[in-house]
């Protein structure tokens, strides 16, 4: 599978989920959309997942046309937002999902393509018992503000500037968020926050 996405917490969460569900899956990662057509020309992928968020609107149809030119039947899953035009329908249309789809929904969309791939057996994703609080009231209003910005992939310095706090205070809020949510990593915190509906 080819994943075209900028480094982010979303990409990390998606990679973890894909590796858990399809342990034998060979993943090729690139953040450079200009490499996609050349990579697809070298060999077919079980799926190409393209995050259109880093591309200007007009560049996306051009990129999809290049991929279709070198490998017309390539399976494409496009993560797009409202500013991206819908790809044209054809004999092999691209599957389009909202850009901020949950990683579990993205894995479910890929399942029909990857479950039947030779050498790939899906491993059921076991539900781990949640150590997280059942409701968001365990967090202070300021912690919830920090959490929303963490989910939006802001770094500590950006959060501090946005909320008029010191970087050390932001670090303290992030530690409290990890402790109260029961998450061990920021990726786990973001996954829990999205799953629990604490942030949208």
């Amino acid at each position: 599978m080819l994943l075209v996405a900028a480094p982010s917490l979303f990409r990390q969460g998606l990679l973890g989920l894909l590796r858990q569900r399809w342990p034998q899956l060979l993943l090729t990662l690139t953040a450079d959309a200009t490499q996609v057509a050349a990579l697809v020309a070298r060999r077919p992928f079980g799926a190409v997942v393209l995050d259109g968020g880093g591309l200007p609107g007009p560049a996306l149809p051009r990129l999809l046309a290049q991929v279709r030119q070198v490998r017309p039947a390539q399976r494409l899953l496009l993560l797009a937002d409202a500013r991206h035009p819908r790809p044209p329908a054809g004999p092999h249309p691209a599957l389009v999902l909202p850009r901020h789809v949950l990683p579990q929904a993205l894995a479910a969309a890929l399942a029909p393509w990857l479950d039947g791939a030779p050498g790939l057996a899906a491993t059921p994703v076991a539900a781990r018992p949640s150590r997280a609080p059942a409701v968001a009231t365990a967090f202070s209003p300021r912690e919830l503000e920090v959490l929303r910005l963490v989910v939006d992939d802001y770094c500590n310095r950006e959060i501090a500037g946005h909320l008029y706090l010191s970087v050390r205070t932001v670090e303290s809020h992030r530690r409290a968020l990890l402790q109260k949510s029961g998450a061990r990593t920021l990726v786990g915190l973001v996954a829990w926050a999205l799953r629990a509906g604490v942030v949208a």
Side-chain angles (χ1 to χ4, degrees):
M1 187 179 105
L2 174 61
L3 178 60
V4 186
S8 66
L9 289 174
F10 172 79
R11 185 176 93 168
Q12 289 302 109
L14 177 60
L15 288 173
L17 188 69
L18 291 171
R19 287 184 178 130
Q20 185 178 16
R21 181 147 182 200
W22 294 284
Q24 293 85 20
L25 181 65
L26 294 176
L27 287 165
T28 302
L29 301 174
T30 183
D32 184 2
T34 62
Q35 295 180 349
V36 174
L39 289 168
V40 170
R42 280 190 215 135
R43 68 180 180 92
F45 290 92
V48 174
V49 177
L50 176 64
D51 181 1
L55 297 172
L60 189 58
R62 192 169 44 247
L63 176 62
L64 293 175
Q66 290 171 349
V67 170
R68 289 291 180 228
Q69 186 176 16
V70 296
R71 198 166 301 277
Q74 177 62 62
R75 295 171 174 159
L76 290 169
L77 192 148
L78 174 63
L79 301 174
D81 52 29
R83 68 186 171 93
H84 291 109
R86 290 288 179 230
H92 303 284
L95 178 60
V96 180
L97 292 176
R99 183 155 183 267
H100 293 292
V101 67
L102 292 175
Q104 293 85 348
L106 184 52
L110 289 169
W113 292 344
L114 298 179
D115 282 343
L120 289 182
T123 303
V125 178
R128 288 195 314 202
S130 177
R131 298 176 291 161
V135 293
T137 56
F139 300 118
S140 72
R142 184 59 95 180
E143 287 169 344
L144 286 173
E145 287 178 300
V146 171
L147 178 59
R148 286 184 190 99
L149 294 172
V150 166
V151 169
D152 286 339
D153 209 18
Y154 282 63
C155 69
N156 286 352
R157 180 172 284 144
E158 292 169 327
I159 294 170
H162 192 73
L163 298 178
Y164 304 103
L165 300 172
S166 73
V167 173
R168 302 282 280 179
T169 302
V170 172
E171 291 170 357
S172 175
H173 285 308
R174 282 176 52 162
R175 275 192 304 277
L177 286 165
L178 287 168
Q179 183 179 11
K180 289 179 180 181
S181 70
R184 291 178 285 191
T185 65
L186 278 181
V187 172
L189 175 65
V190 169
W192 172 82
L194 292 171
R195 205 172 33 248
V198 176
V199 294

